[in-house]
Amino acid sequence: MTHWFAEGDTPDGPRKISLSGTDLAHQNETQEQGPVVRVGDGPPDTLPAPVLPRDMHVIADFAQTKPMDRVSAWVRLWLLGLMDRQPGWDGVVCATYGDVTHWIEVSAKEAVSCRSSVTLRLCRLMQGAGVLDEDAVAASISRPERLVSDLYTAGLVGDGGAVTGHLVGAELATMRPYWLGRDIVLVTDQPGLYMSALSGQGVPAKAYSPEELLHGGLAVVARARGFHN
């Protein structure tokens, strides 16, 4: 069974994962030699593009020209893990990576389109809370043009839940084509915010942690490269 590595940059710095075939290896094995699959190197694949890379020596980012967007190759590995877990699945993945949220349309094993937001970054900068005010969500979905005024009011009274609710609600107003009537999967370590906001709109969603899907995506890479033999 081949010992190999997946490595690349992340928002928290460089990451290197040691594997034996399709299995994660123990930390004391990380000094062994073996093939390296670079994550995020090289030119990105322009959407629409197959989720499974054509060249499995490098896992490239996704890029989109209109509107301009870019999705990390680590998120692409999450999509691979989801497709391995749910073969034939079509729908929209809402994935948080660092402080960016990506909405990615997946169909026929392709990433078709994407839209991304910095809602979580703004929540942090504006002292939003870890829970959201449902009324604020509804207000910003129906009247997103009032966002800057509503945020000022929420900040004035120190209502962190309203700050978060207005920001998430404005994001949902923007992303309506991605969630209305769609099958939604959340990939995030903290699914509560988006799960709650979507539930308020009558939209069910299933949640996975990034790490569990990452392991599945790396197993797909191992099988494609023949590392599992």
Side-chain angles (χ1 to χ4, degrees):
M1 186 172 292
T2 304
H3 192 91
W4 64 286
F5 302 90
E7 63 179 20
D9 292 331
T10 77
D12 298 319
R15 184 175 186 186
K16 187 173 185 177
I17 303 173
S18 175
L19 300 103
S20 289
T22 59
D23 299 323
L24 298 176
H26 297 297
Q27 291 299 313
N28 60 9
E29 297 180 60
T30 59
Q31 299 305 312
E32 293 184 18
Q33 299 298 312
V36 174
V37 174
R38 290 290 304 172
V39 181
D41 278 11
D45 290 335
T46 302
L47 299 185
V51 176
L52 186 68
R54 295 181 178 88
D55 179 5
M56 300 299 287
H57 292 79
V58 174
I59 311 299
D61 292 350
F62 285 135
Q64 183 173 264
T65 54
K66 290 185 179 181
M68 185 177 291
D69 210 329
R70 187 148 179 161
V71 178
S72 169
W74 292 104
V75 177
R76 186 175 190 172
L77 284 169
W78 302 349
L79 297 183
L80 277 178
L82 175 64
M83 290 171 51
D84 190 53
R85 186 180 289 252
Q86 296 184 202
W89 180 83
D90 285 358
V92 171
V93 173
C94 174
T96 61
Y97 180 71
D99 57 6
V100 176
T101 303
H102 302 289
W103 296 76
I104 309 164
E105 181 183 9
V106 177
S107 180
K109 301 182 180 179
E110 284 193 337
V112 178
S113 67
C114 66
R115 290 296 302 272
S116 302
S117 78
V118 291
T119 298
L120 299 180
R121 186 180 306 170
L122 292 173
C123 283
R124 174 173 53 82
L125 293 174
M126 301 191 69
Q127 298 181 330
V131 294
L132 47 75
D133 183 303
E134 298 287 354
D135 290 337
V137 174
S140 286
I141 288 177
S142 61
R143 298 292 296 275
E145 71 276 8
R146 295 178 54 176
L147 175 64
V148 291
S149 178
D150 288 337
L151 285 174
Y152 176 76
T153 301
L156 198 63
V157 298
D159 190 343
V163 169
T164 301
H166 283 304
L167 288 169
V168 172
E171 179 181 346
L172 290 189
T174 301
M175 305 299 179
R176 194 186 303 269
Y178 279 86
W179 56 262
L180 188 62
R182 310 298 296 272
D183 191 2
I184 307 294
V185 167
L186 302 175
V187 185
T188 174
D189 287 323
Q190 297 179 313
L193 289 183
Y194 288 97
M195 188 77 78
S196 177
L198 288 167
S199 177
Q201 301 304 305
V203 179
K206 188 171 185 178
Y208 293 99
S209 76
E211 287 300 307
E212 65 178 317
L213 293 187
L214 175 62
H215 185 193
L218 292 172
V220 172
V221 174
R223 292 193 292 269
R225 290 285 304 272
F227 293 161
H228 63 296
N229 296 330

